[in-house]
Amino acid sequence: TRGPLIETSHLNHLIQYHKPDLRVVHAAFPSSQTVEHKKEEFLKRRITRAQFLSLNDIIDSHSPGDFELPDIETFTQQMKKIDVGINDFVVLYDDNYIGPARTWWTLKYFNIKNVYVLNGGYLKWLEEGLPLEEGEPHKVWHRDNSNYAFKENPDMIVDFDTVAAESQLNSKYQKGNYDLVDSRKESQFKGLDQEPSGIRRGHIDGAKNLFFRNLIAADGTVSYTHLTLPTIYSVQISVVAVSLKKK
């Protein structure tokens, strides 16, 4: 693997050789399609050995914000349902990158080390004619609780004061400790688009613009960014920003 991605050929090899700690997860992001529709499609056809996880299952459903992190108890409960443990080798996929990218970040936040997003996603897997299965997924065998000893990794997030301080440095062309990157399209970054009610137009002062879709090639695979500093990714909906994880 390279960085946070795994190639379809590599995943197929792991499936064929029955890697015991491999966990394949259809990490669905319900946007134009409902969770129920995504689950129906999953049961009809999916990557071999996959379990189903909706992004809605691993957010704080009581928070007024969009897609806030869940508490560790909620996260642990959901991981047990699909038998993903702290030391497993986890591969995430969907027919786009938004669900897998945000799920990747969430799993990393709860200290699962070996997590990867399938490069090219489900569509590339289908195009290459790689193994599929249908029906109910295989039975989950719950292991000892030590396999689910997750812990939070506060280094994965930054607070408002840190962002404000970095914004002030970057806006004055001084070298701060981070790059501030806004991953929305250019027209949103420049404040030209109408935003939802309550959302101000424009961007954080001092931020750079790198639209996440510009990193996706015509064949659906992802190229890498090369940013020189640790990076704070910013967007009004946090599921988009993590699509820009650098190598």
Side-chain angles (χ1 to χ4, degrees):
T1 63
R2 46 175 203 162
L5 298 176
I6 185 171
E7 302 302 322
T8 50
S9 58
H10 189 175
L11 175 58
N12 186 42
H13 174 82
L14 297 178
I15 291 173
Q16 298 305 316
Y17 282 86
H18 304 284
K19 181 176 172 60
D21 61 343
L22 175 64
R23 299 294 184 270
V24 183
V25 179
H26 183 159
F29 175 63
S31 51
S32 58
Q33 298 177 336
T34 65
V35 174
E36 291 74 19
H37 179 77
K38 288 261 189 178
K39 184 64 179 290
E40 288 174 6
E41 293 299 312
F42 169 83
L43 294 174
K44 290 178 184 177
R45 189 174 64 168
R46 63 179 176 273
I47 293 178
T48 301
R49 292 181 58 175
Q51 296 285 340
F52 184 85
L53 178 70
S54 168
L55 182 57
N56 289 344
D57 295 330
I58 50 171
I59 62 173
D60 182 356
S61 59
H62 303 294
S63 171
D66 287 322
F67 300 101
E68 297 284 344
L69 282 164
D71 57 52
I72 196 165
E73 291 78 14
T74 299
F75 178 80
T76 301
Q77 181 183 32
Q78 294 301 326
M79 292 303 100
K80 283 184 175 181
K81 286 182 179 179
I82 57 173
D83 192 27
V84 168
I86 194 165
N87 295 314
D88 288 329
F89 189 101
V90 186
V91 178
L92 308 166
Y93 78 92
D94 194 7
D95 52 12
N96 61 64
Y97 285 106
I98 297 178
R102 171 56 195 253
T103 303
W104 175 92
W105 182 78
T106 302
L107 268 59
K108 284 284 190 179
Y109 176 79
F110 286 104
N111 223 33
I112 301 177
K113 306 290 187 190
N114 297 314
V115 189
Y116 304 94
V117 173
L118 185 63
N119 199 10
Y122 187 46
L123 299 182
K124 188 169 187 286
W125 188 271
L126 293 176
E127 287 174 2
E128 295 175 349
L130 295 173
L132 299 169
E133 64 182 15
E134 60 183 24
E136 291 294 330
H138 66 274
K139 183 177 176 61
V140 171
W141 298 98
H142 294 300
R143 296 169 286 172
D144 185 270
N145 283 337
S146 61
N147 290 288
Y148 312 106
F150 306 112
K151 58 182 179 180
E152 295 175 81
N153 180 4
D155 291 338
M156 294 287 292
I157 57 177
V158 293
D159 58 22
F160 177 87
D161 291 339
T162 299
V163 175
E166 291 297 322
S167 170
Q168 189 173 39
L169 285 173
N170 284 306
S171 64
K172 294 179 178 178
Y173 301 100
Q174 299 180 36
K175 187 175 180 180
N177 297 310
Y178 298 89
D179 282 317
L180 294 175
V181 175
D182 188 313
S183 56
R184 298 171 300 164
K185 60 184 179 180
E186 185 179 11
S187 57
Q188 284 182 291
F189 178 79
K190 291 182 175 179
L192 303 177
D193 291 356
Q194 183 66 46
E195 299 289 0
S197 177
I199 302 295
R200 293 167 58 192
R201 297 188 192 188
H203 59 269
I204 296 174
D205 200 11
K208 303 172 184 178
N209 184 218
L210 181 58
F211 184 33
F212 80 100
R213 293 195 187 279
N214 291 342
L215 303 178
I216 302 174
D219 65 355
T221 55
V222 175
S223 59
Y224 284 98
T225 60
H226 298 283
L227 301 171
T228 57
L229 294 172
T231 308
I232 299 171
Y233 299 114
S234 166
V235 73
Q236 67 194 41
I237 299 177
S238 56
V239 293
V240 176
V242 293
S243 300
L244 294 181
K245 178 68 178 72
K246 69 170 183 172
K247 184 176 181 180

